Structure formats: structure tokens, C-alpha cells
Amino acid sequence: AVDEPARMIAITSTEPGEGKTLSAVNLAVALALDNKKVILVDADLRHPTTHCFFDNPRDVGLSNVIAGEKGIESALQETQVPGLQLLAAGALPPNPPELLNSRAAHACFRQLRDLADFVIVDTPPALVMADAHVVTNLVDGIILVVSAGDVVKQQPLSRTADLLRQNGGRLLGVIMNKLQSGSGSYYGHYYAYSQ
């Protein structure tokens, strides 16, 4: 991303339970530990959990800012990680895609970009909910989290990637999660490659 730096990145998955939220939290923490100013945004307005990782409240956050009930800076929460702020989900709206596709949401995301070096956005799974597809138009790129075992069985990865691209998303890469430690086939290929 030399010509178009990706500073606002959405993290999604194909289906629930693949580790997208943990991946978003880990990426945000890693960037903050690298002396970057980072905002982690919980845009999973159906099943928000990023606040749980930091023992922060969820009651005020993104939905309240978009609805005009709170200013963005007053909704941001400090975390125990220096340089990392959290914008929790806030009150759960009845129609998240409609809220995220509003002009107020676009303005909110533009303002977030100005407040940090990186903005990491946790979204719902892309094959299950339309929310992630709406967010693709608000960010610079998407990282897709997939469970290694599920990719072999169901092949949802290419379908999800195609859907995200069709909605204007820029797929930056894939995180293969839940890879079994010591898996012979994977490590065998890696060893052969490194030779």
C-alpha cells in the first residue's frame, strides 16, 4: 500500500467464531506498542465484544456518535495500552446497516481518520451480515479472518472476498486463524519452501 496507505482497516470474517475480534484487538495493540496512535472501533453493532478485552463499558460509543447524541472525543475511551483508544459500539440500533450507511457515519469515520495514525474497525462476519459490506466504503482496506480448518471444508473464503470486492472493498490480506500447532502438512510445506 505504498501509493495508497491503509490507515483505516476493517477486520471481518466469513462466519462467526473465526477470531475476527481477537485479531482486531491484537492488531490494534501491536500498532499501539509500535508507538502509533490507534483507535479501535467496534462496528459490530449486533454482537459487540471489543470492550470486554479492556474491561471498558459498552453503553456509549459509535452508535451514539452517529446518532448525534455524543461527540466523538467524549465517546472515545482510554485503554490500559498507551496510545490505544476504544470507540465501543454504544447502544445497539434496530438496523445497523442503515445507521452505518448514513451521512453521519461517513462524517464520523472521516473524523476518526484525523484523530489517529491507524483506525482498526471490527465488523460482523461478512457472509452473515450486510454490515461489513457497508463498512468497506468507509475504510481503506479489509483484512479477512478465516478459520484454517473451515476453509478446507467449506471454501467460503473466495466467496466472501468476491462479495467484499463487489461492494467496493479493497482486500489487503487474509489472517489464517486456528491453525493447529505442529500440523505436518503446513509446516512440511513451509520447511520445503525455506530450504
Side-chain angles (χ1 to χ4, degrees), residues 9-22 24 40-50 62 89 92-101 109 120-136 138-139 142-146 160-161 163-164 167:
I9 302 167
I11 309 292
T12 192
S13 61
T14 56
E15 298 172 349
E18 294 190 285
K20 66 167 183 64
T21 299
L22 182 59
L40 176 62
V41 178
D42 197 338
D44 188 340
L45 301 178
R46 297 172 192 270
H47 190 261
T49 55
T50 56
L62 179 63
L92 302 186
N95 190 343
E98 186 177 322
L99 185 72
L100 291 167
N101 201 28
F109 275 75
I120 307 300
V121 184
D122 183 34
T123 73
L127 276 185
V128 180
M129 303 293 170
D131 312 31
H133 303 283
V134 173
V135 173
T136 60
L138 303 174
V139 298
I142 308 147
I143 295 177
L144 184 57
V145 178
V146 288
T160 305
L163 285 170
L164 290 168
N167 286 294

Side-chain angles (χ1 to χ4, degrees), residues 14-184:
T14 56
E15 298 172 349
E18 294 190 285
K20 66 167 183 64
T21 299
L22 182 59
S23 297
V25 169
N26 281 335
L27 178 58
V29 169
L31 288 167
L33 292 175
D34 194 34
N35 294 318
K36 303 291 190 262
K37 186 170 182 183
V38 182
I39 297 174
L40 176 62
V41 178
D42 197 338
D44 188 340
L45 301 178
R46 297 172 192 270
H47 190 261
T49 55
T50 56
H51 63 283
C52 299
F53 288 90
F54 304 100
D55 291 325
N56 284 30
R58 187 210 82 200
D59 52 345
V60 174
L62 179 63
S63 64
N64 305 95
V65 172
I66 295 172
E69 301 165 356
K70 277 282 188 186
I72 198 163
E73 296 198 27
S74 64
L76 286 171
Q77 302 175 36
E78 296 300 326
T79 68
Q80 57 267 43
V81 180
L84 175 59
Q85 291 181 302
L86 172 67
L87 183 59
L92 302 186
N95 190 343
E98 186 177 322
L99 185 72
L100 291 167
N101 201 28
S102 66
R103 274 183 281 217
H106 284 257
C108 173
F109 275 75
R110 280 193 302 273
Q111 191 176 357
L112 285 167
R113 181 186 302 275
D114 294 337
L115 294 174
D117 299 317
F118 287 95
V119 179
I120 307 300
V121 184
D122 183 34
T123 73
L127 276 185
V128 180
M129 303 293 170
D131 312 31
H133 303 283
V134 173
V135 173
T136 60
N137 296 311
L138 303 174
V139 298
D140 300 325
I142 308 147
I143 295 177
L144 184 57
V145 178
V146 288
S147 180
D150 293 342
V151 170
V152 175
K153 293 178 203 165
Q154 301 171 7
Q155 299 295 327
L157 175 61
S158 60
R159 196 168 97 216
T160 305
D162 288 344
L163 285 170
L164 290 168
R165 284 190 194 106
Q166 286 170 11
N167 286 294
R170 177 179 167 211
L171 190 59
L172 300 174
V174 175
I175 294 174
M176 294 292 286
N177 200 18
K178 299 183 183 180
L179 187 65
Q180 294 298 315
S181 178
S183 166

